[in-house]
Amino acid sequence: MINQLVANIKKTGAPIVVGLDPMLNYIPEQVQQKAFAEYGETLEGAAEAIWQFNKEIVDKTYDLIPAVKPQIAMYEQFGLPGLAAFKKTVDYCKEKGLVVIGDIKRGDIGSTSAAYAVGHIGKVKVGSKTYAPFDEDFVTVNPYLGSDGVNPFLDVCKEEKKGIFVLVKTSNPSSGEFQDQKIDGRPLYELVGEKVAAWGSEVMGDEYSYVGAVVGATYPEMGKVLRKVMPKAYILVPGYGAQGGKGKDLVHFFNEDGLGAIVNSSRGIIAAYKQEQYAKFGAENFGDASRAAVETMVADIKGALENR
Amino acid sequence: MINQLVANIKKTGAPIVVGLDPMLNYIPEQVQQKAFAEYGETLEGAAEAIWQFNKEIVDKTYDLIPAVKPQIAMYEQFGLPGLAAFKKTVDYCKEKGLVVIGDIKRGDIGSTSAAYAVGHIGKVKVGSKTYAPFDEDFVTVNPYLGSDGVNPFLDVCKEEKKGIFVLVKTSNPSSGEFQDQKIDGRPLYELVGEKVAAWGSEVMGDEYSYVGAVVGATYPEMGKVLRKVMPKAYILVPGYGAQGGKGKDLVHFFNEDGLGAIVNSSRGIIAAYKQEQYAKFGAENFGDASRAAVETMVADIKGALENR
């Protein structure tokens, strides 16, 4: 699936991923009202609003982008109906030819980690049958529990040719509390980065590994170091736009060939219609605002890469 | 809810929690076959088998124990039907007066972390209505992302009087890869433990904080240190039994008053009928085997505490 991701990026010329993290307050009033009219102000109503919102954004952007990253928390908060909307979104995006990165940040050990792996990127056995319950292409994984937590994912990655992105240096202000702590003079995130390179060496695609890394756009200097520590890992870069990252900050996350990184924007794309820059579209044309925001983001990153 | 947990522990005299982590191969053939006869070898069939298995174990043990800890991965691997069985289990255990610790190990940042918090221990708004989607009493939280990940849970804990257990030192063999790394001469897990104490000081119950910690039974010496670092944190101790921990290893996780720790056993209780020691019950009486295993475990830990 890493080969598919690279192929999609080359085809679209867009090293970006749209974060499908639909907070209810991002969803235009008319979409919410229509869903509530059908299902009431219920969890089902919220889930329907999310699904209709996602569908419109995907329909208006899928030809420009290689991948989407639904954040499962935004669905899980609405319980089972929310998770049904997550699954519907995953399936729809795959139908549209998009690579789906499930932002699930799971991390446990042994058979528990294996359960997450089969549930999200693999197949689970029930008697003589097998099922692929959530069936994302990639998922994000938390490394705090060490190799015992990651290895079960690697087993499933090998079997299914799917992939993971391991949290290395996250985009948030307090990420340094633990991740930046110095161990023999080097920060913890570098140690995690070295592990990512080691884990990834066991599961290589054509050019890049099935094991990628998450490194926040908000820490460009650290990205520069980590790019070298994990040369074969695709870097998933959150924190662009709303969190403060800009195209010129991101050039060192990429390799010389313009590959090796994929930059996520969530709010900046899916709630673009709320920004002054795209207000002209109006809430009723929120999908067109998202499309325009994708075009602007791609131009920003491409421009930065060409001028480095 | 920490007050409720302490009250339940005092009432039962059992500082233990039963881990409801039902792998399909723990579930007796007759339970699986009955579920498959009704729903087929489907995700729904697996979910029904899990639910019937859990119900029997809870019915046979609830009067002896203060709490249960369903591991959500074991349900999530069966997709939406699996998660419906998780929710059914949570509700049933609460009806039985048990405190429910959702072992979800979630961890994200900002609004995403808030989404997990409201979805699992709080209430989510939909228009003018509010819902408590999963409604556990406690959840486990991964600290790798720092305070940005934990604070949204604290907000919900305050509002709902619920609690969290933060992963500090996990029970698995490779937990030391990152958690034991030395920072200015002290291991990372101590630093995380100090943060747990600081986070917890903001949300105190009568004797203990709403913020507890996970420290593996397999690392008793570290437990001894961490007990002092986080005097007001209840310690949730996995790794007893199947993973190797024994009652005598655990005394230092407890305070002098016999409180301050709650020891989890999953496989050792729920799949007790598969052990030689309880084989006499037979697969058909698996619930009775679990009850006997609970009694043995409580005696082991009580004995160790009395003899320390």
Side-chain angles (χ1 to χ4, degrees):
Chain A
M1 197 46 70
I2 185 66
N3 296 340
Q4 183 66 46
L5 180 63
V6 172
N8 277 12
I9 291 169
K10 285 178 177 170
K11 188 180 74 186
T12 55
I16 72 159
V17 51
V18 173
L20 296 174
D21 309 0
M23 311 256 291
L24 270 191
N25 63 12
Y26 294 172
I27 302 181
E29 203 57 28
Q30 79 275 8
V31 177
Q32 292 193 47
Q33 289 315 323
K34 200 175 164 205
F36 295 162
E38 195 171 352
Y39 294 94
E41 289 180 340
T42 60
L43 296 176
E44 288 76 10
E48 172 68 10
I50 286 173
W51 157 242
Q52 293 297 342
F53 180 68
N54 283 350
K55 184 173 179 300
E56 174 67 10
I57 288 167
V58 171
D59 286 344
K60 287 285 165 67
T61 59
Y62 76 94
D63 58 316
L64 301 179
I65 60 174
V68 291
K69 181 175 74 64
Q71 165 53 261
I72 200 168
M74 294 303 174
Y75 304 80
E76 196 166 318
Q77 70 177 327
F78 297 109
L80 298 174
L83 286 160
F86 176 82
K87 173 63 179 148
K88 220 162 157 179
T89 299
V90 169
D91 290 346
Y92 189 71
C93 291
K94 288 173 71 174
E95 273 173 37
K96 289 287 190 182
L98 295 167
V99 168
V100 177
I101 302 167
D103 197 355
I104 66 174
K105 294 189 180 67
R106 303 301 194 245
D108 212 295
I109 54 173
S111 58
T112 312
S113 208
Y116 281 130
V118 299
H120 284 279
I121 55 172
K123 295 189 187 76
V124 69
K125 278 187 198 160
V126 182
S128 59
K129 305 277 176 56
T130 57
Y131 298 90
F134 287 104
D135 209 17
E136 299 106 302
D137 297 315
F138 287 84
V139 288
T140 54
V141 172
N142 186 308
Y144 188 68
L145 295 94
S147 298
D148 297 326
V150 174
N151 287 334
F153 279 96
L154 299 186
D155 293 341
V156 175
C157 285
K158 269 180 217 166
E159 206 162 304
E160 305 286 341
K161 297 191 190 307
K162 291 192 171 181
I164 59 174
F165 290 96
V166 177
L167 304 187
V168 173
K169 172 67 188 171
T170 56
S171 61
N172 54 307
S174 80
S175 67
E177 278 176 17
F178 305 126
Q179 298 166 23
D180 295 2
Q181 291 293 337
K182 292 272 171 42
I183 294 146
D184 297 331
R186 296 169 62 220
L188 176 62
Y189 62 76
E190 271 190 49
L191 196 72
V192 179
E194 281 174 6
K195 276 285 181 187
V196 165
W199 292 323
S201 66
E202 296 172 35
V203 280
M204 279 296 298
D206 292 341
E207 300 163 83
Y208 287 92
S209 171
Y210 294 3
V211 180
V214 174
V215 182
T218 40
Y219 299 104
E221 288 305 313
M222 300 177 185
K224 197 170 172 175
V225 173
L226 287 166
R227 176 68 287 168
K228 296 197 179 88
V229 170
M230 321 172 286
K232 295 296 179 189
Y234 237 83
I235 301 181
L236 172 62
V237 189
Y240 176 88
Q243 283 182 57
K246 289 190 179 62
K248 67 176 170 45
D249 300 327
L250 301 178
V251 292
H252 299 299
F253 291 79
F254 289 85
N255 284 317
E256 289 304 316
D257 56 3
L259 295 172
I262 184 162
V263 182
N264 180 76
S265 177
S266 301
R267 221 180 323 167
I269 304 290
I270 68 174
Y273 77 96
K274 290 193 158 196
Q275 296 169 43
E276 210 182 313
Q277 193 181 350
Y278 306 106
K280 63 183 178 207
F281 290 101
E284 64 280 16
N285 300 309
F286 65 95
D288 297 307
S290 293
R291 185 176 179 90
V294 164
E295 287 169 337
T296 307
M297 181 179 173
V298 173
D300 176 37
I301 293 172
K302 271 186 155 172
L305 286 174
E306 281 160 12
N307 295 320
R308 71 168 160 180
Chain B
M1 197 46 71
I2 184 67
N3 295 342
Q4 183 65 46
L5 179 63
V6 172
N8 277 12
I9 291 169
K10 286 178 177 168
K11 189 181 72 184
T12 55
I16 72 160
V17 52
V18 173
L20 296 173
D21 311 358
M23 311 254 293
L24 270 190
N25 63 14
Y26 294 171
I27 302 181
E29 203 58 26
Q30 79 275 10
V31 178
Q32 291 193 48
Q33 288 314 322
K34 198 174 166 207
F36 295 161
E38 195 171 352
Y39 295 94
E41 290 180 340
T42 59
L43 296 176
E44 287 76 10
E48 173 67 11
I50 287 173
W51 157 243
Q52 293 297 345
F53 179 67
N54 284 349
K55 185 174 177 303
E56 175 68 11
I57 289 167
V58 171
D59 285 344
K60 288 284 165 66
T61 60
Y62 77 94
D63 57 317
L64 301 179
I65 60 174
V68 291
K69 181 176 74 64
Q71 165 53 262
I72 200 169
M74 294 304 173
Y75 305 80
E76 196 167 318
Q77 69 176 329
F78 297 109
L80 298 173
L83 287 160
F86 176 81
K87 174 63 179 147
K88 221 163 155 178
T89 299
V90 169
D91 290 346
Y92 188 71
C93 292
K94 288 172 70 173
E95 274 172 38
K96 290 287 189 184
L98 296 167
V99 169
V100 177
I101 302 167
D103 196 355
I104 66 172
K105 294 190 180 65
R106 303 302 194 244
D108 212 293
I109 54 173
S111 57
T112 312
S113 209
Y116 282 129
V118 299
H120 284 279
I121 55 173
K123 296 189 187 76
V124 69
K125 277 187 198 159
V126 182
S128 59
K129 305 278 176 56
T130 57
Y131 298 91
F134 287 105
D135 209 17
E136 299 105 303
D137 298 315
F138 286 85
V139 288
T140 54
V141 172
N142 185 307
Y144 189 67
L145 295 93
S147 298
D148 297 326
V150 174
N151 287 333
F153 279 94
L154 299 186
D155 293 341
V156 175
C157 285
K158 268 180 220 169
E159 207 161 305
E160 305 286 342
K161 299 193 192 301
K162 292 193 171 180
I164 59 174
F165 290 96
V166 177
L167 304 187
V168 173
K169 172 66 187 171
T170 56
S171 60
N172 56 306
S174 79
S175 67
E177 278 176 16
F178 305 127
Q179 297 165 23
D180 292 3
Q181 292 293 336
K182 292 272 170 44
I183 294 147
D184 297 332
R186 295 169 63 221
L188 175 62
Y189 62 74
E190 271 191 48
L191 196 72
V192 178
E194 282 174 6
K195 276 283 178 187
V196 164
W199 291 323
S201 66
E202 296 171 37
V203 279
M204 279 297 296
D206 291 342
E207 300 163 85
Y208 287 92
S209 172
Y210 295 3
V211 180
V214 175
V215 182
T218 40
Y219 299 103
E221 287 305 313
M222 300 176 186
K224 196 170 175 176
V225 174
L226 287 165
R227 177 66 289 165
K228 295 198 178 89
V229 170
M230 319 171 290
K232 295 295 180 191
Y234 237 84
I235 302 182
L236 172 62
V237 188
Y240 177 88
Q243 285 182 56
K246 290 190 177 63
K248 65 178 170 45
D249 301 327
L250 302 177
V251 292
H252 300 298
F253 291 79
F254 289 83
N255 283 319
E256 288 304 315
D257 55 3
L259 295 172
I262 185 162
V263 182
N264 180 76
S265 177
S266 301
R267 223 179 320 167
I269 304 291
I270 67 173
Y273 77 96
K274 290 193 158 196
Q275 297 168 42
E276 210 182 314
Q277 193 180 351
Y278 306 106
K280 64 182 179 212
F281 290 100
E284 64 280 16
N285 300 310
F286 66 94
D288 297 307
S290 294
R291 186 176 178 89
V294 164
E295 286 169 339
T296 308
M297 180 179 174
V298 173
D300 175 37
I301 293 172
K302 272 185 153 171
L305 285 174
E306 280 159 15
N307 294 322
R308 71 167 160 181

